[in-house]
């Protein structure tokens, strides 16, 4: 390899030390889900030891938002045209997922998690501290309703029209009829062209 090619390769290669750690390591499995009780385990964090419920999991940024933990003031901008004043509210900030651990339901202390299968085949999370099963929160089964447009009144006139058979297999489709007409016109044009020659 020539020196020019080596130089171009080193210039085009990204400097891995400058890349964010989030881009270098993405977890393949998430043990923490929305509704879990977690505790901050990072010792130099100002909220070390506090417990709370996970309000949101930001998987693309590898962070979690915990209710009542890591609260900071957030400034909301006002709008003079509408007459809305600016205000400062207290809002939870996100924490990196590696700085929190699930809370063991038996001991109440943070724990690591392993997975296992029950006799009926369901996959469950198991606490490494006490061996107890950590159930998935009920909030995961309660999905927010979608904004579906549905009419309250039925647009069907009679119940008999719902079960009425509308497809007739013997009747040719309109596309087949159009195709036959096109073929007839093409044959006529070819016959007219051949008779004029």
């Amino acid at each position: 390899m020539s020196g020019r090619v080596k130089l171009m390769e080193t210039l085009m290669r990204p400097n891995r030390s400058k890349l964010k750690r989030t881009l270098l390591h993405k977890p393949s499995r998430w043990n923490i889900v929305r509704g879990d009780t977690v505790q901050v385990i990072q010792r130099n964090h100002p909220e070390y030891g506090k417990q709370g419920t996970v309000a949101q999991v930001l998987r693309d940024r590898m962070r979690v938002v915990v209710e009542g933990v890591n609260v900071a003031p957030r400034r909301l901008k006002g709008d003079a045209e509408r007459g809305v004043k600016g205000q400062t509210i207290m809002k939870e900030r996100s924490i990196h997922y590696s700085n929190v651990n699930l809370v063991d339901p038996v001991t109440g202390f943070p724990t690591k998690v392993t997975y296992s299968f029950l006799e009926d085949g369901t996959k469950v999370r198991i606490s490494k501290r006490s061996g107890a099963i950590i159930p998935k929160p009920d909030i995961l089964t309660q999905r927010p309703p979608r904004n579906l447009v549905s009419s309250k009144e039925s647009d069907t006139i009679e119940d008999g029209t719902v079960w009425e058979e509308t497809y007739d297999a013997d009747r040719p489709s309109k596309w087949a009829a159009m195709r036959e007409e096109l073929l007839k016109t093409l044959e006529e044009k070819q016959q007219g062209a051949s008779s004029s020659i």
Side-chain angles (χ1 to χ4, degrees):
M1 224 190 275
S2 67
R4 176 188 267 172
V5 174
K6 285 183 180 178
L7 178 64
M8 288 304 293
E9 282 184 0
T10 54
L11 290 174
M12 298 301 285
R13 188 182 314 132
N15 187 357
R16 294 189 70 81
S17 64
K18 291 183 180 178
L19 287 175
K20 291 184 178 179
R21 288 196 64 178
T22 58
L23 299 176
L24 296 176
H25 170 70
K26 290 258 185 189
S28 59
R29 178 178 60 206
W30 282 77
N31 299 330
I32 300 170
V33 294
R34 184 170 49 100
D36 279 332
T37 304
V38 294
Q39 181 173 335
V40 180
I41 59 168
Q42 184 187 12
R43 292 192 184 272
N44 59 357
H45 197 278
E47 305 279 335
Y48 171 71
K50 281 194 177 178
Q51 291 185 1
T53 306
V54 176
Q56 192 178 8
V57 178
L58 309 169
R59 295 188 183 202
D60 55 337
R61 292 171 46 204
M62 297 196 310
R63 300 179 80 80
V64 293
V65 177
V66 184
E67 292 176 359
V69 178
N70 204 17
V71 179
R74 172 99 185 244
R75 181 74 182 156
L76 294 179
K77 200 171 184 181
D79 192 359
E81 294 176 1
R82 296 180 186 171
V84 178
K85 290 186 177 181
Q87 59 182 347
T88 304
I89 60 168
M90 300 300 283
K91 189 173 180 183
E92 292 98 356
R93 295 184 301 175
S94 62
I95 305 173
H96 196 266
Y97 82 101
S98 64
N99 297 336
V100 295
N101 263 3
L102 280 171
V103 173
D104 192 327
V106 176
T107 62
F109 292 112
T111 179
K112 292 184 178 180
V113 176
T114 183
Y115 284 85
S116 183
F117 292 93
L118 297 177
E119 289 85 17
D120 60 350
T122 57
K123 189 176 183 180
V124 292
R125 299 180 294 177
I126 296 180
S127 167
K128 283 193 174 181
R129 184 180 285 265
S130 67
I133 294 175
I134 303 174
K136 292 268 184 171
D138 293 334
I139 196 167
L140 291 178
T141 59
Q142 302 167 356
R143 299 278 176 166
R146 295 181 180 172
N147 295 332
L148 298 176
V149 178
S150 61
S151 63
K152 294 181 180 176
E153 297 178 3
S154 176
D155 56 354
T156 307
I157 300 168
E158 298 174 5
D159 288 337
T161 57
V162 175
W163 303 109
E164 182 182 341
E165 189 173 322
T166 58
Y167 176 71
D168 186 13
D170 297 332
R171 191 181 84 197
S173 68
K174 65 177 184 178
W175 300 110
M178 287 175 59
R179 183 172 181 263
E180 288 178 14
E181 288 179 23
L182 284 172
L183 288 173
K184 285 181 184 178
T185 54
L186 282 173
E187 287 177 7
E188 290 174 4
K189 284 183 181 179
Q190 287 177 352
Q191 287 176 0
S194 63
S195 63
S196 63
I197 296 178

